[in-house]
Amino acid sequence: MRHTRAADLAVSFPALLFALAVPRVGVASASALACVIDGRSLAGAAAAAGVALWLRKLPPEAFTSPITRLPDDELLRRQIANHLPQSPKLAPVLAEISSCGC
């Protein structure tokens, strides 16, 4: 409700919106939100929020607890797609696995 660009994240990058709504210690959420509102790239806003860019492919249901720092590089972004659930219905299962450290 703060800004239409922030609201657009619900569709374009749910993980980033979640990270902005559930801030973490040591991450400047206000700076990342400013990037979004200023119309900067999603990659820049994600970097400011400490969110891996490949999380953009996950649906909102995948986020149930604060997002931890995750590896994020070009090679990983290409390879991780093969390991993500095809169905949004499986996203909560993915969230449970990642939160338990399995």
Side-chain angles (χ1 to χ4, degrees):
M1 293 179 62
R2 289 177 131 177
H3 195 278
T4 57
R5 287 186 178 149
D8 288 344
L9 291 176
V11 174
S12 63
F13 200 161
L16 181 54
L17 181 61
F18 185 84
L20 295 174
V22 182
R24 300 167 327 257
V25 176
V27 177
S29 296
S31 171
L33 181 58
C35 288
V36 171
I37 291 172
D38 291 344
R40 296 188 188 148
S41 71
L42 287 178
V51 174
L53 198 55
W54 58 266
L55 290 176
R56 184 174 181 196
K57 298 184 184 306
L58 295 178
E61 298 84 9
F63 306 103
T64 58
S65 60
I67 301 170
T68 60
R69 285 239 181 236
L70 297 167
D72 188 31
D73 61 47
E74 236 5 90
L75 179 61
L76 178 70
R77 288 181 208 147
R78 286 194 307 263
Q79 293 178 341
I80 196 76
N82 297 321
H83 302 282
L84 298 176
Q86 295 296 313
S87 169
K89 291 179 182 179
L90 297 175
V93 173
L94 178 66
E96 289 174 23
I97 291 170
S98 65
S99 68
C100 77
C102 300

